[in-house]
Amino acid sequence: MQLAYWLCDNYLKDPLATLIVENTHLHILPSMNPDGFALRRRGNANNVDLNRDFPDQFFPNNDDIKQRQPETRAIMNWIKQEHFTASASLHGGALVANYPWDGSRDTRKQYYGCPDDKAFRYMASMYSQSHYNMSLSKEFEGGITNGALWYPIYGGMQDWNYIHGGCFELTLEISDVKWPKASELLVIWKQNKMSMLNLVASLVKTGVHGRIFAADTGRPIPGSLMVKGIDSKINASGTFGDYHRIIAPGQSYEVVASMEGFKPKRTRVMLGREAMNLDFILDPDGALKGTKPLRNDCGCSCNDDGASNKPFLLREAYLWLYLLALFSLLALYLLFRRRMASRLAAHRHPPPK
């Protein structure tokens, strides 16, 4: 709640608050388990641990939809509906940034990284290093940990969000005290403030962002995006065709956009410390060779591999409206000059009485 208050109070005053408000859709869920919070226990009103109630990739324990708790169903529907890029779940009882996987196939306590292990380590490290003292932990190197290595769980929200929602979730243990006193909450907020702000801002400042279009219509399409060598994909939105791919900076990647009924396009990028804008125009499977690339508002077209590194909007109608408005203003200006000249001439040479 303090994060929400701070963003509202500091919008247009603080550059970080302004960046977040103007460039992200930030959703804040005060509590996933309001009944358990009121009862001071892990379980909900049915005494079910919600962070063990999600479908699991290794075991079918929670595959029965009828047995799923209402809070779990609500979260699953929310994640699929909103098309989140990343999320963070706040917990108490330790001081560490936890990342997937949260368990392993053979249930042993071991390091079990997910396909986007580098990206998750980057996100977790950013949170830990921005924290008051998390990165100084003697128990966790750098203040981060792989869930399966530290505290394996099955049926958790973190892994489900990543697998089924394309949402990169961290589990943030933000207090060694499981139930801190109300008087300590403001101190915990101050210790986590910059970590939370930098984590949200990183979704704008880093990674690859863009849109996917159909070459024959110029309209956005809900294609998929993959990075070669990383066995996971994210989907662009159905309305705007926009995607936001989190990948660790400092190396080269081959990015591939695809969609059923279209030819895939790929390009290689060198991702530095700043985010990169990368748009794709996909040709239909039966498209003729030599199809003229669609123009964007920068006056440039996609390169040979179908990707453009500049923002792209297919709105040629705007150009005609702009020219029409320009000519209208010019005509009004000339008419004004003519009338002024006539009045001036009449003042200098008044008609004889």
Side-chain angles (χ1 to χ4, degrees):
M1 297 305 299
Q2 289 293 333
L3 172 64
Y5 296 148
W6 188 88
L7 289 173
C8 293
D9 291 342
N10 289 277
Y11 174 57
L12 297 180
K13 300 176 184 177
D14 182 274
L16 198 54
T18 305
L19 173 76
I20 291 172
V21 172
E22 294 186 347
N23 293 279
T24 67
H25 290 231
L26 181 63
H27 295 239
I28 297 178
L29 180 68
S31 176
M32 178 182 166
N33 184 15
D35 293 330
F37 178 81
L39 296 169
R40 291 180 61 85
R41 69 184 189 193
R42 292 182 65 95
N44 65 351
N46 297 324
N47 204 21
V48 173
D49 188 339
L50 298 176
N51 204 34
R52 306 292 187 276
D53 192 47
F54 287 80
D56 190 83
Q57 62 175 322
F58 301 120
F59 304 103
N61 300 357
N62 301 326
D63 289 350
D64 188 353
I65 299 177
K66 295 180 181 179
Q67 298 297 321
R68 199 163 295 152
Q69 296 299 300
E71 297 93 337
T72 310
R73 291 198 301 269
I75 290 291
M76 292 170 66
N77 293 334
W78 186 44
I79 294 296
K80 290 182 176 179
Q81 174 186 326
E82 295 298 336
H83 200 77
F84 291 116
T85 300
S87 58
S89 176
L90 306 183
H91 295 241
L95 194 63
V96 65
N98 180 98
Y99 56 90
W101 297 123
D102 258 343
S104 60
R105 191 175 300 277
D106 59 9
T107 72
R108 288 191 300 118
K109 202 172 183 180
Q110 60 184 316
Y111 193 106
Y112 210 70
C114 71
D116 282 288
D117 190 63
K118 287 184 179 180
F120 273 109
R121 289 179 63 87
Y122 170 75
M123 293 170 62
S125 296
M126 174 182 295
Y127 193 94
S128 176
Q129 291 170 11
S130 301
H131 190 273
Y132 171 72
N133 61 351
M134 185 181 288
S135 63
L136 303 178
S137 172
K138 296 181 179 180
E139 181 180 0
F140 306 101
E141 184 178 354
I144 68 174
T145 187
N146 173 257
L149 179 63
W150 170 50
Y151 189 84
I153 70 168
Y154 299 90
M157 180 171 69
Q158 175 182 267
D159 290 2
W160 188 91
N161 281 5
Y162 172 60
I163 296 171
H164 299 281
C167 177
F168 287 49
E169 171 151 319
L170 294 178
T171 301
L172 301 174
E173 303 281 352
I174 62 173
S175 170
D176 283 318
V177 180
K178 188 66 177 177
W179 291 92
K181 297 179 180 179
S183 59
E184 298 173 358
L185 294 180
L186 192 59
V187 174
I188 295 175
W189 152 245
K190 291 179 179 179
Q191 293 174 346
N192 285 272
K193 173 185 171 182
M194 289 311 302
S195 297
M196 298 172 76
L197 293 172
N198 286 338
L199 181 62
V200 177
S202 71
L203 305 182
V204 179
K205 294 180 176 181
T206 60
V208 179
H209 310 262
R211 300 175 72 188
I212 304 175
F213 297 91
D216 54 346
T217 65
R219 295 178 180 176
I221 54 176
S224 299
L225 197 86
M226 291 195 70
V227 178
K228 187 176 180 181
I230 300 178
D231 187 20
S232 72
K233 71 175 182 179
I234 61 167
N235 297 319
S237 71
T239 304
F240 301 108
D242 62 304
Y243 70 87
H244 308 275
R245 183 63 164 92
I246 302 174
I247 44 180
Q251 65 182 85
S252 176
Y253 297 95
E254 184 175 313
V255 185
V256 184
S258 62
M259 183 173 173
E260 185 178 357
F262 292 84
K263 297 178 181 178
K265 294 285 179 69
R266 64 187 67 230
T267 189
R268 180 165 289 277
V269 299
M270 180 62 198
L271 188 64
R273 287 290 170 182
E274 296 183 356
M276 175 173 289
N277 190 284
L278 189 63
D279 295 336
F280 288 90
I281 303 176
L282 302 187
D283 296 317
D285 281 339
L288 296 175
K289 292 183 178 181
T291 300
K292 185 178 180 180
L294 296 174
R295 292 181 296 167
N296 57 35
D297 61 346
C298 305
C300 59
S301 59
C302 274
N303 54 29
D304 293 337
D305 53 18
S308 169
N309 291 339
K310 296 183 179 180
F312 177 72
L313 288 174
L314 302 172
R315 295 291 185 272
E316 291 191 359
Y318 288 168
L319 177 61
W320 291 107
L321 290 174
Y322 173 77
L323 292 175
L324 181 62
L326 189 63
F327 282 123
S328 299
L329 289 173
L330 181 60
L332 288 172
Y333 173 73
L334 293 175
L335 181 61
F336 175 77
R337 287 288 302 272
R338 184 175 180 180
R339 287 186 177 181
M340 289 297 296
S342 298
R343 291 181 180 179
L344 184 62
H347 178 74
R348 290 179 177 177
H349 306 287
K353 296 181 179 178

